[in-house]
PDB file of all heavy atoms in Angstrom:
ATOM      1  N   ALA A  10     -23.221  -2.512  -3.388  1.00 85.00           N
ATOM      2  CA  ALA A  10     -23.992  -2.178  -2.191  1.00 85.00           C
ATOM      3  C   ALA A  10     -23.256  -2.542  -0.906  1.00 85.00           C
ATOM      4  O   ALA A  10     -23.628  -2.089   0.184  1.00 85.00           O
ATOM      5  CB  ALA A  10     -25.350  -2.881  -2.224  1.00 85.00           C
ATOM      6  N   LEU A  11     -22.209  -3.354  -1.023  1.00 91.00           N
ATOM      7  CA  LEU A  11     -21.479  -3.809   0.155  1.00 91.00           C
ATOM      8  C   LEU A  11     -20.086  -3.194   0.206  1.00 91.00           C
ATOM      9  O   LEU A  11     -19.531  -2.781  -0.810  1.00 91.00           O
ATOM     10  CB  LEU A  11     -21.338  -5.338   0.124  1.00 91.00           C
ATOM     11  CG  LEU A  11     -22.625  -6.162   0.189  1.00 91.00           C
ATOM     12  CD1 LEU A  11     -22.286  -7.645   0.052  1.00 91.00           C
ATOM     13  CD2 LEU A  11     -23.374  -5.910   1.487  1.00 91.00           C
ATOM     14  N   SER A  12     -19.535  -3.168   1.406  1.00 93.00           N
ATOM     15  CA  SER A  12     -18.138  -2.752   1.540  1.00 93.00           C
ATOM     16  C   SER A  12     -17.254  -3.850   0.951  1.00 93.00           C
ATOM     17  O   SER A  12     -17.679  -5.003   0.821  1.00 93.00           O
ATOM     18  CB  SER A  12     -17.785  -2.543   3.013  1.00 93.00           C
ATOM     19  OG  SER A  12     -17.834  -3.778   3.711  1.00 93.00           O
ATOM     20  N   ASN A  13     -16.027  -3.508   0.613  1.00 91.00           N
ATOM     21  CA  ASN A  13     -15.135  -4.494   0.002  1.00 91.00           C
ATOM     22  C   ASN A  13     -14.949  -5.726   0.878  1.00 91.00           C
ATOM     23  O   ASN A  13     -14.872  -6.852   0.382  1.00 91.00           O
ATOM     24  CB  ASN A  13     -13.775  -3.848  -0.286  1.00 91.00           C
ATOM     25  CG  ASN A  13     -13.830  -2.887  -1.457  1.00 91.00           C
ATOM     26  OD1 ASN A  13     -14.662  -3.034  -2.355  1.00 91.00           O
ATOM     27  ND2 ASN A  13     -12.951  -1.899  -1.457  1.00 91.00           N
ATOM     28  N   ASP A  14     -14.899  -5.538   2.181  1.00 94.00           N
ATOM     29  CA  ASP A  14     -14.685  -6.659   3.101  1.00 94.00           C
ATOM     30  C   ASP A  14     -15.872  -7.610   3.163  1.00 94.00           C
ATOM     31  O   ASP A  14     -15.719  -8.765   3.582  1.00 94.00           O
ATOM     32  CB  ASP A  14     -14.385  -6.143   4.510  1.00 94.00           C
ATOM     33  CG  ASP A  14     -13.003  -5.525   4.615  1.00 94.00           C
ATOM     34  OD1 ASP A  14     -12.169  -5.801   3.728  1.00 94.00           O
ATOM     35  OD2 ASP A  14     -12.757  -4.774   5.572  1.00 94.00           O
ATOM     36  N   ASP A  15     -17.059  -7.139   2.773  1.00 94.00           N
ATOM     37  CA  ASP A  15     -18.261  -7.964   2.868  1.00 94.00           C
ATOM     38  C   ASP A  15     -18.628  -8.647   1.558  1.00 94.00           C
ATOM     39  O   ASP A  15     -19.599  -9.403   1.501  1.00 94.00           O
ATOM     40  CB  ASP A  15     -19.455  -7.107   3.332  1.00 94.00           C
ATOM     41  CG  ASP A  15     -19.312  -6.675   4.780  1.00 94.00           C
ATOM     42  OD1 ASP A  15     -18.694  -7.421   5.561  1.00 94.00           O
ATOM     43  OD2 ASP A  15     -19.809  -5.582   5.132  1.00 94.00           O
ATOM     44  N   LYS A  16     -17.889  -8.393   0.512  1.00 95.00           N
ATOM     45  CA  LYS A  16     -18.167  -9.036  -0.770  1.00 95.00           C
ATOM     46  C   LYS A  16     -17.639 -10.464  -0.760  1.00 95.00           C
ATOM     47  O   LYS A  16     -16.648 -10.756  -0.091  1.00 95.00           O
ATOM     48  CB  LYS A  16     -17.534  -8.223  -1.901  1.00 95.00           C
ATOM     49  CG  LYS A  16     -18.104  -6.817  -2.010  1.00 95.00           C
ATOM     50  CD  LYS A  16     -17.398  -5.998  -3.074  1.00 95.00           C
ATOM     51  CE  LYS A  16     -17.958  -4.581  -3.117  1.00 95.00           C
ATOM     52  NZ  LYS A  16     -17.340  -3.749  -4.172  1.00 95.00           N
ATOM     53  N   TYR A  17     -18.288 -11.340  -1.525  1.00 94.00           N
ATOM     54  CA  TYR A  17     -17.937 -12.756  -1.397  1.00 94.00           C
ATOM     55  C   TYR A  17     -16.476 -13.081  -1.757  1.00 94.00           C
ATOM     56  O   TYR A  17     -15.870 -13.950  -1.109  1.00 94.00           O
ATOM     57  CB  TYR A  17     -18.938 -13.642  -2.158  1.00 94.00           C
ATOM     58  CG  TYR A  17     -18.510 -14.136  -3.517  1.00 94.00           C
ATOM     59  CD1 TYR A  17     -17.563 -15.146  -3.651  1.00 94.00           C
ATOM     60  CD2 TYR A  17     -19.085 -13.634  -4.690  1.00 94.00           C
ATOM     61  CE1 TYR A  17     -17.172 -15.618  -4.898  1.00 94.00           C
ATOM     62  CE2 TYR A  17     -18.710 -14.100  -5.935  1.00 94.00           C
ATOM     63  CZ  TYR A  17     -17.747 -15.096  -6.037  1.00 94.00           C
ATOM     64  OH  TYR A  17     -17.375 -15.550  -7.270  1.00 94.00           O
ATOM     65  N   PRO A  18     -15.856 -12.417  -2.752  1.00 97.00           N
ATOM     66  CA  PRO A  18     -14.440 -12.723  -2.987  1.00 97.00           C
ATOM     67  C   PRO A  18     -13.551 -12.409  -1.782  1.00 97.00           C
ATOM     68  O   PRO A  18     -12.597 -13.140  -1.495  1.00 97.00           O
ATOM     69  CB  PRO A  18     -14.096 -11.837  -4.192  1.00 97.00           C
ATOM     70  CG  PRO A  18     -15.392 -11.654  -4.912  1.00 97.00           C
ATOM     71  CD  PRO A  18     -16.398 -11.526  -3.798  1.00 97.00           C
ATOM     72  N   ALA A  19     -13.861 -11.318  -1.062  1.00 96.00           N
ATOM     73  CA  ALA A  19     -13.086 -10.964   0.121  1.00 96.00           C
ATOM     74  C   ALA A  19     -13.302 -11.981   1.239  1.00 96.00           C
ATOM     75  O   ALA A  19     -12.365 -12.343   1.968  1.00 96.00           O
ATOM     76  CB  ALA A  19     -13.466  -9.565   0.598  1.00 96.00           C
ATOM     77  N   ILE A  20     -14.528 -12.448   1.380  1.00 96.00           N
ATOM     78  CA  ILE A  20     -14.823 -13.483   2.388  1.00 96.00           C
ATOM     79  C   ILE A  20     -14.096 -14.779   2.036  1.00 96.00           C
ATOM     80  O   ILE A  20     -13.524 -15.444   2.902  1.00 96.00           O
ATOM     81  CB  ILE A  20     -16.344 -13.717   2.482  1.00 96.00           C
ATOM     82  CG1 ILE A  20     -17.040 -12.453   2.988  1.00 96.00           C
ATOM     83  CG2 ILE A  20     -16.651 -14.909   3.386  1.00 96.00           C
ATOM     84  CD1 ILE A  20     -18.552 -12.520   2.939  1.00 96.00           C
ATOM     85  N   LEU A  21     -14.103 -15.119   0.750  1.00 97.00           N
ATOM     86  CA  LEU A  21     -13.401 -16.314   0.288  1.00 97.00           C
ATOM     87  C   LEU A  21     -11.908 -16.199   0.580  1.00 97.00           C
ATOM     88  O   LEU A  21     -11.274 -17.178   0.997  1.00 97.00           O
ATOM     89  CB  LEU A  21     -13.643 -16.499  -1.212  1.00 97.00           C
ATOM     90  CG  LEU A  21     -13.053 -17.753  -1.862  1.00 97.00           C
ATOM     91  CD1 LEU A  21     -13.614 -19.017  -1.216  1.00 97.00           C
ATOM     92  CD2 LEU A  21     -13.340 -17.752  -3.359  1.00 97.00           C
ATOM     93  N   GLN A  22     -11.351 -15.017   0.384  1.00 96.00           N
ATOM     94  CA  GLN A  22      -9.933 -14.791   0.682  1.00 96.00           C
ATOM     95  C   GLN A  22      -9.628 -15.069   2.155  1.00 96.00           C
ATOM     96  O   GLN A  22      -8.647 -15.747   2.482  1.00 96.00           O
ATOM     97  CB  GLN A  22      -9.553 -13.353   0.336  1.00 96.00           C
ATOM     98  CG  GLN A  22      -8.125 -12.965   0.686  1.00 96.00           C
ATOM     99  CD  GLN A  22      -7.108 -13.650  -0.201  1.00 96.00           C
ATOM    100  OE1 GLN A  22      -6.910 -13.275  -1.340  1.00 96.00           O
ATOM    101  NE2 GLN A  22      -6.455 -14.677   0.327  1.00 96.00           N
ATOM    102  N   ARG A  23     -10.470 -14.582   3.030  1.00 96.00           N
ATOM    103  CA  ARG A  23     -10.250 -14.790   4.472  1.00 96.00           C
ATOM    104  C   ARG A  23     -10.365 -16.269   4.836  1.00 96.00           C
ATOM    105  O   ARG A  23      -9.615 -16.772   5.686  1.00 96.00           O
ATOM    106  CB  ARG A  23     -11.244 -13.962   5.291  1.00 96.00           C
ATOM    107  CG  ARG A  23     -11.020 -12.459   5.183  1.00 96.00           C
ATOM    108  CD  ARG A  23     -11.742 -11.710   6.284  1.00 96.00           C
ATOM    109  NE  ARG A  23     -13.196 -11.817   6.187  1.00 96.00           N
ATOM    110  CZ  ARG A  23     -13.962 -11.008   5.462  1.00 96.00           C
ATOM    111  NH1 ARG A  23     -13.413 -10.032   4.746  1.00 96.00           N
ATOM    112  NH2 ARG A  23     -15.279 -11.154   5.453  1.00 96.00           N
ATOM    113  N   LEU A  24     -11.277 -16.972   4.212  1.00 97.00           N
ATOM    114  CA  LEU A  24     -11.472 -18.389   4.508  1.00 97.00           C
ATOM    115  C   LEU A  24     -10.301 -19.239   4.020  1.00 97.00           C
ATOM    116  O   LEU A  24      -9.903 -20.202   4.685  1.00 97.00           O
ATOM    117  CB  LEU A  24     -12.771 -18.891   3.865  1.00 97.00           C
ATOM    118  CG  LEU A  24     -14.083 -18.369   4.461  1.00 97.00           C
ATOM    119  CD1 LEU A  24     -15.264 -18.796   3.603  1.00 97.00           C
ATOM    120  CD2 LEU A  24     -14.274 -18.865   5.894  1.00 97.00           C
ATOM    121  N   LEU A  25      -9.727 -18.869   2.883  1.00 96.00           N
ATOM    122  CA  LEU A  25      -8.670 -19.684   2.285  1.00 96.00           C
ATOM    123  C   LEU A  25      -7.290 -19.365   2.845  1.00 96.00           C
ATOM    124  O   LEU A  25      -6.405 -20.229   2.876  1.00 96.00           O
ATOM    125  CB  LEU A  25      -8.669 -19.495   0.764  1.00 96.00           C
ATOM    126  CG  LEU A  25      -9.895 -20.038   0.028  1.00 96.00           C
ATOM    127  CD1 LEU A  25      -9.822 -19.687  -1.452  1.00 96.00           C
ATOM    128  CD2 LEU A  25     -10.003 -21.547   0.209  1.00 96.00           C
ATOM    129  N   GLY A  26      -7.058 -18.121   3.238  1.00 95.00           N
ATOM    130  CA  GLY A  26      -5.777 -17.765   3.827  1.00 95.00           C
ATOM    131  C   GLY A  26      -4.744 -17.286   2.822  1.00 95.00           C
ATOM    132  O   GLY A  26      -5.024 -17.091   1.634  1.00 95.00           O
ATOM    133  N   ASP A  27      -3.508 -17.142   3.318  1.00 94.00           N
ATOM    134  CA  ASP A  27      -2.439 -16.486   2.556  1.00 94.00           C
ATOM    135  C   ASP A  27      -1.899 -17.307   1.400  1.00 94.00           C
ATOM    136  O   ASP A  27      -1.166 -16.776   0.555  1.00 94.00           O
ATOM    137  CB  ASP A  27      -1.281 -16.131   3.492  1.00 94.00           C
ATOM    138  CG  ASP A  27      -1.671 -15.076   4.522  1.00 94.00           C
ATOM    139  OD1 ASP A  27      -2.642 -14.343   4.254  1.00 94.00           O
ATOM    140  OD2 ASP A  27      -1.017 -15.005   5.574  1.00 94.00           O
ATOM    141  N   GLU A  28      -2.200 -18.594   1.354  1.00 95.00           N
ATOM    142  CA  GLU A  28      -1.699 -19.412   0.248  1.00 95.00           C
ATOM    143  C   GLU A  28      -2.489 -19.160  -1.039  1.00 95.00           C
ATOM    144  O   GLU A  28      -2.140 -19.689  -2.100  1.00 95.00           O
ATOM    145  CB  GLU A  28      -1.736 -20.892   0.612  1.00 95.00           C
ATOM    146  CG  GLU A  28      -0.767 -21.264   1.729  1.00 95.00           C
ATOM    147  CD  GLU A  28      -0.759 -22.746   2.016  1.00 95.00           C
ATOM    148  OE1 GLU A  28      -1.499 -23.477   1.327  1.00 95.00           O
ATOM    149  OE2 GLU A  28      -0.027 -23.165   2.925  1.00 95.00           O
ATOM    150  N   TYR A  29      -3.544 -18.374  -0.934  1.00 96.00           N
ATOM    151  CA  TYR A  29      -4.377 -18.048  -2.091  1.00 96.00           C
ATOM    152  C   TYR A  29      -4.469 -16.534  -2.249  1.00 96.00           C
ATOM    153  O   TYR A  29      -4.412 -15.793  -1.268  1.00 96.00           O
ATOM    154  CB  TYR A  29      -5.788 -18.612  -1.915  1.00 96.00           C
ATOM    155  CG  TYR A  29      -5.843 -20.121  -1.888  1.00 96.00           C
ATOM    156  CD1 TYR A  29      -5.567 -20.829  -0.721  1.00 96.00           C
ATOM    157  CD2 TYR A  29      -6.182 -20.845  -3.026  1.00 96.00           C
ATOM    158  CE1 TYR A  29      -5.612 -22.211  -0.685  1.00 96.00           C
ATOM    159  CE2 TYR A  29      -6.236 -22.230  -3.001  1.00 96.00           C
ATOM    160  CZ  TYR A  29      -5.950 -22.912  -1.837  1.00 96.00           C
ATOM    161  OH  TYR A  29      -5.993 -24.275  -1.806  1.00 96.00           O
ATOM    162  N   GLU A  30      -4.636 -16.104  -3.483  1.00 97.00           N
ATOM    163  CA  GLU A  30      -4.939 -14.701  -3.762  1.00 97.00           C
ATOM    164  C   GLU A  30      -6.239 -14.662  -4.554  1.00 97.00           C
ATOM    165  O   GLU A  30      -6.307 -15.196  -5.667  1.00 97.00           O
ATOM    166  CB  GLU A  30      -3.824 -14.029  -4.556  1.00 97.00           C
ATOM    167  CG  GLU A  30      -4.119 -12.562  -4.818  1.00 97.00           C
ATOM    168  CD  GLU A  30      -3.019 -11.840  -5.589  1.00 97.00           C
ATOM    169  OE1 GLU A  30      -2.004 -12.487  -5.917  1.00 97.00           O
ATOM    170  OE2 GLU A  30      -3.183 -10.632  -5.866  1.00 97.00           O
ATOM    171  N   VAL A  31      -7.255 -14.052  -3.968  1.00 97.00           N
ATOM    172  CA  VAL A  31      -8.573 -13.980  -4.595  1.00 97.00           C
ATOM    173  C   VAL A  31      -8.820 -12.559  -5.079  1.00 97.00           C
ATOM    174  O   VAL A  31      -8.667 -11.601  -4.313  1.00 97.00           O
ATOM    175  CB  VAL A  31      -9.688 -14.388  -3.601  1.00 97.00           C
ATOM    176  CG1 VAL A  31     -11.042 -14.408  -4.309  1.00 97.00           C
ATOM    177  CG2 VAL A  31      -9.389 -15.752  -2.989  1.00 97.00           C
ATOM    178  N   ARG A  32      -9.214 -12.422  -6.332  1.00 97.00           N
ATOM    179  CA  ARG A  32      -9.499 -11.100  -6.884  1.00 97.00           C
ATOM    180  C   ARG A  32     -10.931 -11.028  -7.409  1.00 97.00           C
ATOM    181  O   ARG A  32     -11.450 -12.003  -7.959  1.00 97.00           O
ATOM    182  CB  ARG A  32      -8.525 -10.747  -8.012  1.00 97.00           C
ATOM    183  CG  ARG A  32      -7.100 -10.525  -7.534  1.00 97.00           C
ATOM    184  CD  ARG A  32      -6.236  -9.971  -8.656  1.00 97.00           C
ATOM    185  NE  ARG A  32      -4.848  -9.811  -8.237  1.00 97.00           N
ATOM    186  CZ  ARG A  32      -3.895  -9.324  -9.020  1.00 97.00           C
ATOM    187  NH1 ARG A  32      -4.183  -8.946 -10.275  1.00 97.00           N
ATOM    188  NH2 ARG A  32      -2.658  -9.210  -8.580  1.00 97.00           N
ATOM    189  N   ASN A  33     -11.529  -9.865  -7.232  1.00 98.00           N
ATOM    190  CA  ASN A  33     -12.903  -9.622  -7.649  1.00 98.00           C
ATOM    191  C   ASN A  33     -12.899  -8.991  -9.041  1.00 98.00           C
ATOM    192  O   ASN A  33     -12.479  -7.849  -9.219  1.00 98.00           O
ATOM    193  CB  ASN A  33     -13.595  -8.701  -6.641  1.00 98.00           C
ATOM    194  CG  ASN A  33     -15.085  -8.573  -6.901  1.00 98.00           C
ATOM    195  OD1 ASN A  33     -15.562  -8.750  -8.015  1.00 98.00           O
ATOM    196  ND2 ASN A  33     -15.836  -8.249  -5.858  1.00 98.00           N
ATOM    197  N   TYR A  34     -13.404  -9.733 -10.006  1.00 98.00           N
ATOM    198  CA  TYR A  34     -13.514  -9.228 -11.379  1.00 98.00           C
ATOM    199  C   TYR A  34     -14.981  -9.086 -11.791  1.00 98.00           C
ATOM    200  O   TYR A  34     -15.328  -9.265 -12.954  1.00 98.00           O
ATOM    201  CB  TYR A  34     -12.780 -10.160 -12.353  1.00 98.00           C
ATOM    202  CG  TYR A  34     -11.277 -10.057 -12.272  1.00 98.00           C
ATOM    203  CD1 TYR A  34     -10.536 -10.961 -11.508  1.00 98.00           C
ATOM    204  CD2 TYR A  34     -10.585  -9.064 -12.949  1.00 98.00           C
ATOM    205  CE1 TYR A  34      -9.151 -10.868 -11.427  1.00 98.00           C
ATOM    206  CE2 TYR A  34      -9.207  -8.961 -12.872  1.00 98.00           C
ATOM    207  CZ  TYR A  34      -8.493  -9.869 -12.118  1.00 98.00           C
ATOM    208  OH  TYR A  34      -7.126  -9.768 -12.029  1.00 98.00           O
ATOM    209  N   GLY A  35     -15.824  -8.752 -10.832  1.00 98.00           N
ATOM    210  CA  GLY A  35     -17.238  -8.581 -11.128  1.00 98.00           C
ATOM    211  C   GLY A  35     -17.543  -7.233 -11.762  1.00 98.00           C
ATOM    212  O   GLY A  35     -16.901  -6.229 -11.458  1.00 98.00           O
ATOM    213  N   LEU A  36     -18.551  -7.223 -12.632  1.00 98.00           N
ATOM    214  CA  LEU A  36     -19.039  -5.995 -13.263  1.00 98.00           C
ATOM    215  C   LEU A  36     -20.562  -6.056 -13.335  1.00 98.00           C
ATOM    216  O   LEU A  36     -21.116  -6.971 -13.949  1.00 98.00           O
ATOM    217  CB  LEU A  36     -18.467  -5.826 -14.677  1.00 98.00           C
ATOM    218  CG  LEU A  36     -17.072  -5.229 -14.815  1.00 98.00           C
ATOM    219  CD1 LEU A  36     -16.651  -5.255 -16.277  1.00 98.00           C
ATOM    220  CD2 LEU A  36     -17.045  -3.808 -14.283  1.00 98.00           C
TER     221      LEU A  36
END
């Protein structure tokens, strides 16, 4: 229901920065 930028993994990525890579494996 949300755009990719508004999903929690994407928000977590922005909060943590470039030293982390966050991927969404939700189904």
Side-chain angles (χ1 to χ4, degrees):
L11 297 176
S12 66
N13 287 333
D14 288 342
D15 290 330
K16 298 176 182 182
Y17 100 74
I20 296 172
L21 184 60
Q22 176 70 77
R23 292 196 295 273
L24 290 172
L25 293 175
D27 294 338
E28 293 183 1
Y29 295 82
E30 181 179 359
V31 184
R32 292 189 183 181
N33 189 335
Y34 286 97
L36 278 175

